[in-house]
Every structure is written in C-alpha cells, then in structure tokens.
Amino acid sequence: MKADRKFSIQVFRSEGLTEIRFRGRITEASTEAMTEAFSDPVGLVRLDLEVERINSFGLGVLTKLLAASAQNHPIEFTRCSEMIVDSIQILGLSRYGRLISFFSRYLCDRCSKEDMRLLDIARDLVVSADGSEVRAPLYRCDCGGSLRVDEALDFVTEHPPVESSKPSDG
Ligand SMILES: [Zn+2]
C-alpha cells in the first residue's frame, strides 16, 4: 500500500520535552520536513522512530540533525524499528543519544510464528552483572507456545538504563 509508506513527522512540545514522531519512509523527500521539525527544540529531544524504512540519504540528514541538536539537548531514541536499531549500531548514533526502546523480532518455539514486540530497555530487559547476557521477557503465543526473542540483544549493553533522564536547563 503506497499510502502507508508516506513519510510523516509530527512535533509535540511540552515543558522540558520535544517529541518528534517519524512514520513511513525516510528518504530525500523527507529532508525539508525533518529540518523543520528539528529547528526549534526545547529540553529533552525524544525521537519516536517507528518507521518503515530509512534510506542512506535519510540517514545522512538525520545524522546531521542529531549532531547539531546533541550539542544543546539530551536525545532519546524510542520505539525504534529494526532498521533504525541497525543504523544506530552501524553509524554509532549512540554518541548523540540514548536508546530507550525498540521493536524486537520474536519467534514462537512451537508454531514458528514471527512477531515484533516493543522492548523498553529499562523496564523489560535484564543484563547480567558482567554484561555478557541480556535477558528479554517471554510472551505467550496464541498457539499456547512461547514467543522468544529471536535476535542478539548484546547491543543494549552500550545503552545502560538510567533511572531518570531529567532534561537539562540549558
Ligand atoms: Zn505459536
């Protein structure tokens, strides 16, 4: 469905927080709207990145905007789709902000159904003391089996949870 792929971006400003919500596909056609969305942030900048796709041009634009905003604002990445999580790893975007939550691939051990689940690092994941193991919750499948996380989650050890990320005054 073409309509579903359409890019959209919304900005929600409240006291000490600017939430920027991305949807659809981030491409060169998204540049102007993204630049506009990042133009006047206040406080903590929280990106909601549940997007369908991002191409290399879109990643380039996003990286530049992040680099500029990160100089004056703490940044959080939330609801990141699989492709965004990969991009954060590959491009080292964690130097600009903190990964808070992401969609992870799950697989049923009984009927092999695949599913995506939103995992919040602080709420849902347990990292072993030596950082070598990351445990994710199990979910029940409709078939009665268990949905288990079906990808390596060791990257979350680069994003240790914090109790509260209070926005700075600056
Ligand atoms: Zn199942």
Side-chain angles (χ1 to χ4, degrees):
M1 291 313 239
K2 247 191 173 142
D4 295 334
R5 293 176 179 169
K6 205 169 158 33
F7 175 74
S8 77
I9 191 164
Q10 287 178 285
V11 182
F12 305 89
R13 286 189 180 82
S14 56
E15 201 181 328
L17 173 69
T18 303
E19 188 179 332
I20 306 177
R21 190 178 296 170
F22 299 73
R23 290 293 182 268
R25 294 184 160 202
I26 302 176
T27 65
E28 42 273 46
S30 324
T31 304
E32 200 181 328
M34 281 209 288
T35 306
E36 167 94 32
F38 276 88
S39 64
D40 190 21
V42 292
L44 175 71
V45 177
R46 180 177 294 156
L47 307 183
D48 175 337
L49 287 161
E50 190 184 351
V51 298
E52 188 190 329
R53 263 186 89 75
I54 182 164
N55 71 6
S56 54
F57 193 99
L59 272 172
V61 172
L62 181 62
T63 304
K64 265 188 217 163
L65 292 168
L66 284 172
S69 292
Q71 294 180 11
N72 299 308
H73 303 272
I75 294 175
E76 290 182 354
F77 304 110
T78 65
R79 303 178 62 84
C80 297
S81 53
E82 212 172 13
M83 196 171 181
I84 294 289
V85 172
D86 290 346
S87 302
I88 287 173
Q89 308 316 310
I90 293 163
L91 299 176
L93 297 185
S94 52
R95 68 183 178 275
Y96 302 126
R98 176 177 289 276
L99 179 63
I100 301 294
S101 60
F102 62 96
F103 289 90
S104 184
R105 189 173 294 278
Y106 267 72
L107 186 67
C108 176
D109 55 11
R110 191 156 144 188
C111 72
S112 298
K113 179 182 136 175
E114 278 190 24
D115 206 357
M116 298 299 283
R117 295 284 170 146
L118 180 66
L119 296 177
D120 181 299
I121 292 176
R123 185 192 64 201
D124 299 325
L125 301 181
V126 178
V127 181
S128 64
D130 63 358
S132 65
E133 192 195 352
V134 179
R135 261 173 302 169
L138 293 178
Y139 295 99
R140 176 175 288 240
C141 180
D142 293 338
C143 77
S146 295
L147 288 161
R148 292 173 195 282
V149 74
D150 190 36
E151 60 182 304
L153 295 178
D154 45 324
F155 64 86
V156 306
T157 57
E158 291 168 29
H159 304 266
V162 281
E163 289 311 312
S164 66
S165 47
K166 284 238 174 82
S168 70
D169 298 321

